[in-house]
């Protein structure tokens, strides 16, 4: 078992200030994303030195598996909010670190916040929206991604982004955010394509069909996860190595596209960092939080 520093548990919370900020993310079972989580926490801590900042996972599977792997225990948002309320904070802010308003975001809006307000009606609480919320977010996120890869695109290389895909009845437009961002990015450079692992309109076949139409065989591909962190999907589904025990349709996108004549070097073209590693992306989440707090008054 790897040696780690034990993170704070809700039961160990000691209030230092009057305001609490809870960052809520899906979670991950890989070390790289936990470095990204640390980067995000530092980003917000630098901007809010007068607040106590905590982080919650929405995936209980990630909590369990990461604990088994590392000995670090993370906790869900409802446990953190119960502890925050009991600690007597005078104001509570929550920031979603999700990319689209899918199922994980709806857990915050439909379960965790109503429970907190019922238990602690005297404590004001607000929620900042996920990354891709409105048209301005589409433009801002698209510009961050394009500017990061502009030199490679100008050199004739292409960029493949892998999003997850999700949906809820409350936010039926969630997956459409990928379509909007895809359209905007392609207005900047046609050699960019977004695919997802769980949104039927943008699965691997869509990515391959688009590349065949826009890019010549032999075009070098770059890969970037369109996710908060570069976790399981990025490492395995996006750029995983060839597995001789799996059929071709279950291989990673990179493996399958190599067989289609699109080269990519693992070290040079597989960009295994999450959106949360870009300060400019964190600034968009920050703007959402500040907007929610302004509305709260």
């Amino acid at each position: 078992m790897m040696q780690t520093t034990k993170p704070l548990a809700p039961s160990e919370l000691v209030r230092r200030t009057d305001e609490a900020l809870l960052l809520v993310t899906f979670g991950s079972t890989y070390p790289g994303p936990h470095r990204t989580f640390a980067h995000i926490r530092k980003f917000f801590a630098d901007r809010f030195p007068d607040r106590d900042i905590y982080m919650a996972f929405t995936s209980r599977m990630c909590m369990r598996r990461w604990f088994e792997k590392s000995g670090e225990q993370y906790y869900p948002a409802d446990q953190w909010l119960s502890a925050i309320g009991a600690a007597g904070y005078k104001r509570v802010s929550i920031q979603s670190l999700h990319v689209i308003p899918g199922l994980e975001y709806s857990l915050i809006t439909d379960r965790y916040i109503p429970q907190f307000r019922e238990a602690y009606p005297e404590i004001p609480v607000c929620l900042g929206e996920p990354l891709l919320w409105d048209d301005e977010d589409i433009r801002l996120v698209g510009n961050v991604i394009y500017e990061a890869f502009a030199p490679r695109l100008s050199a004739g290389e292409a960029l493949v982004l892998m999003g997850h895909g999700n949906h809820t009845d409350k936010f039926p437009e969630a997956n459409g955010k990928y379509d909007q961002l895809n359209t905007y990015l392609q207005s900047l450079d046609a050699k960019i394509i977004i695919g997802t692992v769980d949104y039927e309109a943008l699965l691997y076949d869509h990515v391959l069909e688009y590349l065949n139409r826009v890019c010549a065989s032999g075009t070098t591909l770059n890969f970037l996860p369109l996710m908060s962190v570069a976790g399981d999907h990025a490492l395995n589904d996006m750029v995983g190595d060839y597995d001789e025990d799996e059929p071709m349709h279950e291989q990673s996108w990179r493996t399958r596209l190599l067989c289609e004549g699109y080269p990519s070097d693992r070290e040079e073209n597989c960009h295994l960092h999450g959106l949360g590693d870009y300060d400019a992306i964190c600034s968009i989440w920050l703007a959402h939080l500040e907007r929610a707090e302004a509305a709260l008054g």
Side-chain angles (χ1 to χ4, degrees):
M1 181 177 291
M2 66 181 68
Q3 297 298 313
T4 58
T5 301
K6 181 178 179 291
L8 181 71
S11 61
E12 300 168 330
L13 183 154
V14 176
R15 180 169 67 87
R16 299 182 303 104
T17 70
D18 288 335
E19 295 189 52
L21 170 59
L22 182 63
L23 304 172
V24 183
T25 183
F26 180 80
S28 180
T29 64
Y30 288 83
H34 285 264
R35 291 190 289 271
T36 303
F37 296 147
H39 175 266
I40 296 171
R41 290 186 65 159
K42 183 178 186 304
F43 177 91
F44 280 93
D46 288 346
R47 284 146 185 84
F48 298 113
D50 55 346
R51 300 190 193 187
D52 293 337
I53 300 178
Y54 310 104
M55 177 169 281
F57 283 7
T58 53
S59 169
R60 293 180 184 272
M61 179 275 291
C62 287
M63 296 176 219
R64 175 177 56 81
R65 291 188 179 177
W66 181 247
F67 176 74
E68 292 170 353
K69 180 184 293 187
S70 72
E72 289 185 350
Q73 180 66 65
Y74 282 79
Y75 298 88
D78 54 349
Q79 289 189 33
W80 274 115
L81 288 170
S82 292
I84 286 169
Y89 284 95
K90 296 181 179 179
R91 185 182 176 101
V92 178
S93 299
I94 305 170
Q95 179 55 49
S96 162
L97 300 178
H98 304 101
V99 175
I100 61 172
L103 176 62
E104 305 301 318
Y105 179 68
S106 70
L107 290 175
I108 308 173
T109 62
D110 296 353
R111 181 184 302 176
Y112 301 139
I113 288 181
Q115 288 175 349
F116 180 82
R117 284 177 172 156
E118 181 177 357
Y120 301 99
E122 73 282 6
I123 303 178
V125 58
C126 65
L127 170 65
E129 305 99 346
L131 187 64
L132 298 176
W133 183 256
D134 57 25
D135 291 345
E136 179 67 1
D137 295 334
I138 299 295
R139 186 184 69 81
L140 291 173
V141 173
N143 288 346
V144 172
I145 294 170
Y146 172 73
E147 290 167 9
F149 287 88
R152 294 177 181 273
L153 293 165
S154 296
E157 299 179 4
L159 173 62
V160 176
L161 297 150
M162 175 185 274
H164 190 283
N166 207 315
H167 65 87
T168 63
D169 292 338
K170 183 170 183 177
F171 300 105
E173 74 281 8
N175 282 328
K177 302 297 182 183
Y178 294 117
D179 294 304
Q180 290 179 262
L181 182 59
N182 195 44
T183 297
Y184 180 71
L185 283 168
Q186 289 174 0
S187 75
L188 300 176
D189 193 299
K191 301 188 302 302
I192 305 175
I193 178 64
I194 293 175
T196 68
V197 294
D198 198 31
Y199 169 37
E200 291 185 357
L202 297 180
L203 299 178
Y204 170 80
D205 288 344
H206 167 79
V207 173
L208 176 60
E209 185 278 330
Y210 184 83
L211 289 172
N212 285 340
R213 181 158 44 88
V214 173
C215 299
S217 180
T219 298
T220 296
L221 302 183
N222 292 277
F223 293 90
L224 178 73
L226 187 62
M227 304 179 190
S228 299
V229 298
D232 180 60
H233 288 299
L235 295 168
N236 296 309
D237 299 326
M238 188 175 75
V239 300
D241 291 330
Y242 175 74
D243 186 343
E244 62 182 12
D245 295 325
E246 296 291 344
M248 183 55 65
H249 72 273
E250 293 183 8
Q251 300 289 340
S252 71
W253 286 12
R254 176 174 177 265
T255 294
R256 297 166 75 180
L257 290 168
L258 281 169
C259 293
E260 296 289 342
Y262 297 103
S264 57
D265 179 80
R266 171 164 290 282
E267 297 298 324
E268 183 67 22
N269 304 117
C270 298
H271 305 274
L272 293 175
H273 53 265
L275 295 176
D277 287 299
Y278 293 96
D279 279 355
I281 293 293
C282 291
S283 293
I284 299 171
W285 279 316
L286 173 64
H288 290 185
L289 177 63
E290 291 174 337
R291 183 168 62 198
E293 291 179 342
L296 185 63

